[in-house]
Amino acid sequence: RIPMIVVSPYSKGKGVVHDYGDHASIAKFIDANWGLRPITDRSRDNLPNPEHKWGNPYVPVNAPAISDLMGFFDFDRDHHDGDHRRHDHGDDRGRDHADNRDFH
């Protein structure tokens, strides 16, 4: 298991996802999100998503298995106006104080 912090406007946020994953989960996420094939027939992104017994989210019953990280995201949710480059937060977040330029 690898701890991961997900920062994204599409993140479900406000909680802990107990999906069993490792570094190959990132490649598996890319495969799942963009409909790509796994890297090779033998690569770890070919492993199934984990299935768990109720009450024990930490050990998959179908090991070896790793998450595709899709449980971290909600891509169907409305995300404001679709422009995530700059939002008015009522303060100067997103501004470079040295020369007062946006740094997004």
Side-chain angles (χ1 to χ4, degrees):
R1 292 177 57 95
I2 306 293
M4 175 182 270
I5 296 174
V6 174
V7 179
S8 167
Y10 300 99
S11 165
K12 289 182 178 177
K14 299 181 182 179
V16 176
V17 176
H18 293 284
D19 289 353
Y20 190 86
D22 70 8
H23 295 92
S25 293
I26 295 172
K28 194 169 177 181
F29 168 77
I30 292 168
D31 295 345
N33 194 48
W34 284 281
L36 303 174
R37 294 178 27 155
I39 296 170
T40 70
D41 291 338
R42 297 180 60 201
S43 60
R44 291 183 55 83
D45 58 331
N46 266 316
L47 293 174
N49 281 329
E51 297 174 9
H52 307 282
K53 287 185 180 178
W54 185 86
N56 186 5
Y58 300 104
V59 180
V61 295
N62 61 332
I66 59 169
S67 170
D68 62 9
L69 306 178
M70 295 300 281
F72 287 81
F73 301 96
D74 180 2
F75 293 115
D76 295 327
R77 187 176 62 198
D78 181 25
H79 294 284
H80 309 291
D81 60 359
D83 183 4
H84 300 292
R85 291 174 291 155
R86 183 168 182 230
H87 293 282
D88 184 9
H89 295 284
D91 59 17
D92 58 2
R93 284 183 284 176
R95 308 289 285 178
D96 183 342
H97 296 288
D99 59 5
N100 208 26
R101 290 183 305 161
D102 284 332
F103 61 84
H104 289 284

